[in-house]
Amino acid sequence: VKESRNYVDYIFTLSPYYPSYILKKNPSIPFICSLDCDQYFFGNSEFLFDDLKIHDVLITPHRFSKELAHLVIYGKYNVSFQVFKNSEIGNGCLALWRKQCLEWCSDSHEDGRFADQKYLDSWQEHFGEGIKEINYIGAGLAPWNVKNYKISVRNKNVYVDNHKLVLYHYQGLRFVSARIIQSGLAHYNYEPSSDFFRFILRPIVQALLQYQHKRGQYSIVRNPHYQSNTFLGFITSRGMFYISRGLLINLNSIYKFKNEKLKLHGIYTKFKNVYR
């Protein structure tokens, strides 16, 4: 189907094929975990795999906030962190997913389907107790569910309610330039606290910068789809990451900013140079 599908649809189609291929080539592997690359581990995730003692497949629920409940049309579960045991049910589930994605896989909502993701909703009907949703709220924290919880910091550990944060899905975070970053949070109407900036977003950005420095490249994004997102901060020539201390800027209105305080901090000029 490679020649008949666009690039994005084809990548979605491959989701079940890659883990299946690895298990087939390496039959001694007990299980395989596939995950999105835009996620950051804040702690040890080993305990999440304990459920494999009883179950065969682990999937991550969206846990949409109330105001985003309508997004369930894209799936109760998010294709971000899923685990397949090398068992009859685990391989059977991957086989079903391959069949589903081969038949239809498009980055659109159609006839109760959406890309590779909406298919996960039906897996429990096929495999019953073999499918287990990850119910630990510290894993799968994301912009679409963060409003459900109280984010706090104790002894430099981030907590989601009373659970340590293990995995955050930073969907929508983009480097506009080497110095300016968009958080992607405004798309989900979430205004982060200073602790969220400092203890969740900052380590992610620092890790990405370290990686980009090693690779000698920067990801520059000027896609209009992201221009209404929240301003995060900027990177100085020394590589330091500074938070804008609660200042929220709509990038669509950048030319309208005449605030002297912005000019004093050099932020206005930085934005103007990027978007001129």
Side-chain angles (χ1 to χ4, degrees):
V1 298
K2 185 175 183 178
E3 300 303 321
S4 62
R5 296 184 181 180
N6 65 44
Y7 179 75
V8 173
D9 292 349
Y10 180 63
I11 293 300
F12 281 142
T13 302
L14 293 180
S15 292
Y17 281 88
Y18 193 40
S20 297
Y21 175 80
I22 293 177
L23 288 179
K24 183 178 179 180
K25 291 291 185 179
N26 303 273
S28 63
I29 293 177
F31 61 86
I32 190 166
C33 175
S34 64
L35 56 154
D36 276 357
C37 61
D38 56 345
Q39 297 182 99
Y40 187 89
F41 286 90
F42 284 83
N44 192 326
S45 62
E46 186 175 356
F47 71 95
L48 297 176
F49 297 88
D50 289 344
D51 281 334
L52 291 177
K53 296 175 182 177
I54 302 174
H55 308 280
D56 297 84
V57 178
L58 309 181
I59 50 180
T60 304
H62 273 111
R63 307 188 189 101
F64 290 115
S65 61
K66 289 182 179 180
E67 66 182 67
L68 298 176
H70 61 282
L71 296 180
V72 75
I73 63 171
Y74 296 105
K76 177 182 178 181
Y77 300 99
N78 182 248
V79 177
S80 58
F81 182 94
Q82 44 282 329
V83 186
F84 302 90
K85 188 188 289 187
N86 197 358
S87 63
E88 181 179 353
I89 290 180
N91 285 295
C93 186
L94 278 170
L96 172 65
W97 200 16
R98 292 198 307 270
K99 180 181 178 181
Q100 291 170 327
C101 288
L102 185 63
E103 178 183 333
W104 185 93
C105 191
S106 175
D107 187 20
S108 59
H109 187 264
E110 181 179 312
D111 297 330
R113 300 175 294 187
F114 173 71
D116 59 340
Q117 185 166 273
K118 195 73 164 62
Y119 293 127
L120 276 63
D121 289 10
S122 67
W123 288 359
Q124 287 180 326
E125 297 176 13
H126 291 277
F127 302 103
E129 292 297 317
I131 310 296
K132 176 69 166 58
E133 67 175 53
I134 298 172
N135 54 26
Y136 183 78
I137 63 174
L141 185 71
W144 48 81
N145 61 37
V146 66
K147 279 189 174 182
N148 293 331
Y149 313 111
K150 178 183 178 182
I151 307 299
S152 60
V153 179
R154 309 171 206 165
N155 298 320
K156 295 186 178 180
N157 290 314
V158 182
Y159 284 82
V160 184
D161 286 349
N162 292 315
H163 303 272
K164 277 190 178 182
L165 176 60
V166 171
L167 183 62
Y168 177 70
H169 195 158
Y170 56 92
Q171 181 172 302
L173 188 146
R174 294 290 187 276
F175 282 81
V176 178
S177 73
R179 295 175 180 269
I180 300 175
I181 302 161
Q182 297 176 84
S183 70
L185 296 170
H187 180 69
Y188 297 97
N189 297 317
Y190 179 66
E191 296 185 8
S193 65
S194 58
D195 279 348
F196 192 96
F197 272 127
R198 182 180 177 186
F199 293 100
I200 295 182
L201 295 182
R202 181 171 181 169
I204 293 172
V205 169
Q206 288 177 325
L208 291 172
L209 286 172
Q210 289 174 2
Y211 173 76
Q212 290 179 336
H213 178 70
K214 291 178 181 177
R215 298 275 294 181
Q217 60 183 265
Y218 288 91
S219 299
I220 309 302
V221 175
R222 291 189 174 87
N223 188 329
H225 176 70
Y226 297 107
Q227 289 186 0
S228 63
N229 289 352
T230 302
F231 172 60
L232 239 179
F234 58 91
I235 314 302
T236 73
S237 59
R238 294 174 299 179
M240 299 291 289
F241 178 62
Y242 287 93
I243 306 298
S244 61
R245 298 188 181 278
L247 181 64
L248 303 178
I249 298 178
N250 186 314
L251 298 183
N252 285 326
S253 306
I254 189 59
Y255 292 114
K256 298 179 182 179
F257 280 99
K258 301 296 182 183
N259 189 298
E260 290 298 325
K261 190 173 182 180
L262 289 178
K263 291 183 180 180
L264 287 173
H265 286 283
I267 298 175
Y268 175 77
T269 302
K270 292 177 188 295
F271 272 110
K272 189 173 180 180
N273 288 339
V274 171
Y275 284 97
R276 64 186 173 185

